[in-house]
């Protein structure tokens, strides 16, 4: 799956998502649960804001010295016995992976959940080359079985699937004959996946954090599949985003404190795996070979610019667990493997405004995402910056929008025009208002106005404004003074 998996117009995607009641309700429930759990575990850490500030400072330090830490990580990983490769973009990354697999004469791989490989479309490239790809994370397994259905969340990607749909998919694709009980279906998948672990030629993993001081790659998960894919196959392949590096284990400890609490509202994850090169002599398990592919794919282009703060992101999903827009348009409204506020900032930086210019407008700019980000990324400010660039610098917004805002600016900046305009608007609205004092149904089809009346009951403007009341008050007070 490529970074952009749905190229249809933004409004077309949104209308489809708004009509999907189950997906909306699933997102709403997940948001409520995750947000409550996050608040509970964060509340147990009195020093949370101090940790947050330190985590942000650590991420900034690494980004400001990224060339040094990438080199240090690569050097130490090679000392530990790993083979390290550098990929400028998605094509480089998939070509390197394909070359490694061909040298190993690999026919089948198993993967733990890694969003970076979705960003670079690894599965598609390998399958086109005749290599069988098996997702082993339960949610990713469900999506792959359902004809590679796109994810709706970066932590719980199959959130939009109801159990009856999962059971039907398993029955049609895998010959499942059991009930729709989640536990029974999980046991069924577990049996299938374990067989694939034993048959796989190569295990593919992502990396939550790479430790520069030791060349260690880490995986955080709540299922055992990550550990099995990193230890059972004889060859291991790890994909690391260039920005996912921490200096040492002390820094890793701080980042882990932020990640698990922010992602799932848990103090710790069920599994935390650290991989430092292949298995050493005398070790009971682990791969014979470890290949680490460090992927840039547009990240270096963000360094040193207005959006560098976005590279702090640790992919916890906390921003989308509080976002009111994500709550309604769901993950599929974004058309990118990175949904929510973080995706609305990051995706245009990777693919450009021509492809994803509408995403920064999928926000109310309420700032809740910024407040909940564990590494203090000013997400709503970055979204606003995207809008400013499109509107004022490269001027990609529609001419009609520019004309409307230019006219509005003139009216709002002139007291006389503002007064006349709002009074005329109030008179016009009262003339067409229904018995309840709101705009009637037919206004939902009107340009601009319909955007408000479709989603809410819009009352009428008052002819008498606060400034009129204040003027009367001042006039009365001055008269009393005399």
């Amino acid at each position: 799956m490529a970074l952009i998996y749905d190229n249809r117009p933004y409004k077309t995607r949104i209308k489809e998502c708004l009509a999907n009641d189950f997906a909306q309700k699933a997102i709403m429930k997940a948001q409520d649960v995750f947000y409550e759990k996050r608040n509970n575990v964060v509340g147990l850490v009195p020093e949370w804001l101090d940790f947050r500030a330190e985590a942000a400072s650590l991420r900034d330090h690494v980004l400001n010295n990224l060339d040094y830490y990438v080199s240090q990580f690569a050097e130490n990983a090679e000392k530990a016995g790993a083979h390290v490769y550098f990929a400028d973009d998605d094509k480089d990354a998939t070509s390197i992976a394909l070359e490694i697999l061909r040298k190993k004469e690999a026919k089948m791989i198993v993967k733990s959940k890694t969003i970076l490989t979705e960003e670079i479309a690894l599965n598609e490239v390998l399958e086109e080359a005749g290599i069988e790809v098996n997702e082993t994370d339960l949610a990713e397994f469900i999506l792959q079985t359902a004809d590679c259905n796109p994810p709706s969340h970066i932590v719980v990607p199959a959130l939009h699937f109801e159990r009856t749909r999962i059971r039907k998919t398993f029955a049609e694709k895998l010959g499942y004959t059991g009930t729709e009980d989640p536990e029974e279906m999980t046991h069924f998948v577990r049996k299938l996946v374990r067989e694939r672990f034993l048959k796989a030629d190569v295990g593919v993993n992502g990396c939550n954090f790479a430790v520069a001081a030791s060349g260690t790659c880490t995986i955080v998960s709540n299922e055992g599949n990550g550990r099995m894919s990193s230890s059972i196959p004889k060859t291991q392949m790890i994909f690391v985003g260039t920005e996912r590096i921490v200096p040492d284990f002390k820094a890793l400890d701080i980042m882990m404190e932020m990640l698990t609490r922010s992602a799932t509202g848990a103090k710790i994850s069920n599994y935390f795996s650290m991989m430092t090169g292949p298995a050493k002599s005398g070790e009971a398990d682990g791969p014979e070979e470890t290949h680490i592919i460090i992927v840039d794919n547009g990240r270096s282009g963000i360094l040193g610019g207005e959006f560098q703060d976005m590279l702090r992101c640790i992919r916890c999903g906390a921003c989308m667990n509080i976002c009111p827009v994500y709550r309604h348009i769901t993950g599929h409204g974004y058309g990118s493997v990175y949904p929510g506020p973080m995706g609305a900032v990051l995706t245009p930086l990777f693919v450009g405004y021509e492809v994803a210019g509408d995403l920064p407008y999928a926000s109310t700019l309420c700032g809740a995402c910024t407040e909940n980000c564990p590494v203090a990324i000013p997400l709503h400010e970055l979204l606003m910056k995207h809008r400013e660039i499109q509107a004022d610098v490269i001027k990609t917004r529609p001419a009609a929008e520019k004309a409307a805002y230019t006219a509005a600016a003139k009216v709002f900046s002139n007291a006389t025009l503002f007064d006349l305009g709002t009074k005329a608007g109030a008179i016009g609205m009262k003339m067409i208002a229904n018995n309840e004092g709101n705009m009637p149904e037919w206004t939902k089809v009107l340009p601009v106005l319909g955007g408000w009346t479709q989603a809410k009951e819009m009352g009428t403007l008052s002819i008498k404004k606060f400034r009129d009341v204040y003027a009367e008050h001042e006039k009365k007070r001055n008269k009393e003074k005399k």
Side-chain angles (χ1 to χ4, degrees):
M1 188 171 298
L3 175 62
I4 297 294
Y5 60 76
D6 191 342
N7 284 302
R8 292 179 300 165
Y10 174 67
K11 290 186 177 179
T12 300
R13 298 196 306 266
I14 297 305
K15 287 180 180 178
E16 185 176 287
C17 291
L18 291 175
N20 190 333
D21 289 337
F22 177 82
Q24 281 190 319
K25 290 176 181 177
I27 294 292
M28 290 178 183
K29 182 177 180 180
Q31 276 192 325
D32 293 341
V33 170
F34 280 138
Y35 184 62
E36 182 180 359
K37 290 176 66 178
R38 173 201 174 274
N39 282 354
N40 289 338
V41 294
V42 166
L44 297 174
V45 184
E47 308 87 354
W48 177 259
L49 293 180
D50 294 332
F51 276 131
R52 185 175 186 251
E54 187 169 0
S57 178
L58 274 170
R59 298 296 292 133
D60 285 340
H61 170 72
V62 169
L63 294 173
N64 291 331
N65 301 276
L66 194 58
D67 54 345
Y68 169 78
Y69 283 114
V70 168
S71 297
Q72 184 186 34
F73 168 75
E75 182 180 343
N76 287 325
E78 288 179 336
K79 285 180 181 178
H83 303 278
V84 180
Y85 313 81
F86 294 91
D88 288 335
D89 55 25
D90 54 346
K91 290 182 174 57
D92 277 349
T94 53
S95 294
I96 292 168
L98 198 54
E99 183 179 353
I100 295 169
L101 293 171
R102 282 173 173 163
K103 285 182 178 179
K104 302 303 297 183
E105 298 183 351
K107 299 291 189 296
M108 173 184 173
I109 71 166
V110 286
K111 283 180 66 208
S112 62
K113 184 160 75 72
T114 155
I115 198 168
L116 178 56
T117 60
E118 292 187 8
E119 176 189 319
I120 64 175
L122 177 68
N123 288 16
E124 288 82 350
V125 172
L126 299 189
E127 287 168 352
E128 285 178 9
I131 298 171
E132 181 183 338
V133 178
N134 293 285
E135 296 287 356
T136 62
D137 173 84
L138 179 58
E140 293 288 355
F141 179 91
I142 292 169
L143 296 181
Q144 184 182 39
T145 306
D147 298 321
C148 299
N149 192 275
S152 54
H153 194 285
I154 61 173
V155 178
V156 278
L159 193 58
H160 56 290
F161 267 72
E162 55 185 327
R163 65 177 68 183
T164 54
R165 184 180 177 189
I166 296 172
R167 192 229 170 262
K168 182 179 179 182
T169 299
F170 287 174
E172 293 175 351
K173 303 287 186 178
L174 305 172
Y176 176 67
T177 58
T179 70
E180 61 184 41
D181 176 67
E183 187 173 346
E184 185 177 358
M185 289 191 287
T186 300
H187 282 299
F188 171 76
V189 173
R190 184 179 297 169
K191 183 178 180 181
L192 289 178
V193 170
R194 280 182 174 174
E195 292 175 358
R196 296 174 186 182
F197 279 126
L198 297 172
K199 295 178 181 178
D201 301 298
V202 176
V204 176
N205 295 283
C207 177
N208 288 98
F209 298 108
V211 183
S214 62
T216 300
C217 294
T218 67
I219 299 176
V220 182
S221 69
N222 286 312
E223 300 175 29
N225 63 307
R227 184 161 296 175
M228 293 181 76
S229 61
S230 66
S231 59
I232 294 179
K234 297 299 182 182
T235 302
Q236 177 180 204
M237 188 184 300
I238 306 172
F239 288 84
V240 183
T242 52
E243 84 285 15
R244 305 308 295 275
I245 294 180
V246 294
D248 49 36
F249 286 104
K250 182 180 178 181
L252 176 64
D253 184 40
I254 293 170
M255 300 314 303
M256 285 298 299
E257 181 78 18
M258 309 308 290
L259 177 61
T260 53
R261 293 174 187 266
S262 299
T264 58
K267 294 179 183 179
I268 59 173
S269 61
N270 289 340
Y271 293 89
F272 176 61
S273 302
M274 295 191 292
M275 302 161 288
T276 309
K280 307 298 187 294
S281 177
E283 290 184 343
D285 58 14
E288 295 175 354
E289 290 183 21
T290 295
H291 300 267
I292 302 174
I293 303 174
I294 302 175
V295 183
D296 186 296
N297 202 34
R299 288 155 174 79
S300 60
I302 303 172
L303 281 174
E306 295 178 290
F307 295 93
Q308 177 173 301
D309 288 348
M310 192 59 226
L311 293 178
R312 289 185 206 155
C313 181
I314 59 176
R315 307 295 194 269
C316 66
C319 60
M320 58 193 71
N321 291 340
I322 191 63
C323 178
V325 174
Y326 175 84
R327 188 178 184 89
H328 290 282
I329 70 174
T330 74
H332 293 156
Y334 299 84
S336 167
V337 296
Y338 296 121
M342 59 82 68
V345 175
L346 193 60
T347 303
L349 297 174
F350 282 161
V351 300
Y353 294 122
E354 302 83 5
V355 177
D358 284 317
L359 294 188
Y361 292 84
S363 171
T364 63
L365 301 180
C366 66
C369 52
T370 297
E371 183 179 344
N372 281 267
C373 177
V375 287
I377 301 173
L379 288 160
H380 70 292
E381 294 177 9
L382 297 181
L383 288 167
M384 189 64 187
K385 194 180 296 293
H386 271 313
R387 298 185 189 186
E388 290 172 356
I389 291 172
Q390 291 188 78
D392 301 331
V393 180
I394 61 177
K395 303 184 187 301
T396 59
R397 300 305 298 170
E401 180 183 289
K402 180 180 179 181
Y405 279 110
T406 299
K410 289 181 178 179
V411 172
F412 291 155
S413 62
N414 185 293
T416 302
L417 289 177
F418 181 81
D419 187 53
L420 291 174
T422 52
K423 280 184 167 56
I427 293 171
M429 292 178 77
K430 287 187 182 299
M431 290 176 64
I432 63 173
N434 57 28
N435 294 332
E436 288 78 29
N438 297 314
M439 293 295 95
E441 284 292 312
W442 60 266
T443 60
K444 293 182 178 180
V445 300
L446 295 177
V448 183
L449 182 62
W452 291 87
T453 58
Q454 284 177 14
K456 64 183 73 174
E457 288 189 351
M458 188 172 179
T460 60
L461 291 171
S462 173
I463 294 177
K464 193 172 186 179
K465 304 293 186 297
F466 171 77
R467 64 175 61 202
D468 299 323
V469 176
Y470 186 75
E472 291 175 0
H473 170 74
E474 285 294 289
K475 185 177 180 180
K476 181 180 179 182
R477 190 173 68 169
N478 291 335
K479 186 181 291 186
E480 289 174 350
K481 285 182 179 179
K482 294 178 180 179

